[in-house]
Amino acid sequence: MLTTLATAAPYFHGGGFPFFVFPAFSFLFLVPLVVFAVSRRGGWRAVADARAVLADRFARGDISAEEYRARLSELSRK
């Protein structure tokens, strides 16, 4: 009995390691990581929106072809 108790003591009497810690830690770590990744993609979306606005202004005739190309190249550098 004592040998068996000594062999299984860390897991037998203490209830073992609380395995709910792994999913809780993963959830608390992954959720902010996903939120951060999605918010970083907003910068790319802003450039795409700026290009759409620029193309719309060119199509309406608000800006010339030279100005359109210059501004488009400026957006491509960012």
Side-chain angles (χ1 to χ4, degrees), residues 29-67:
F29 177 74
L30 290 177
V31 167
L33 184 66
V34 169
V35 169
F36 177 73
V38 168
S39 68
R40 294 280 296 163
R41 284 182 32 194
W44 174 80
R45 205 171 294 150
V47 171
D49 289 344
R51 287 183 181 157
V53 169
L54 187 61
D56 188 41
R57 288 184 63 199
F58 177 64
R60 284 193 315 242
D62 293 344
I63 57 175
S64 66
E66 273 181 26
E67 190 175 358

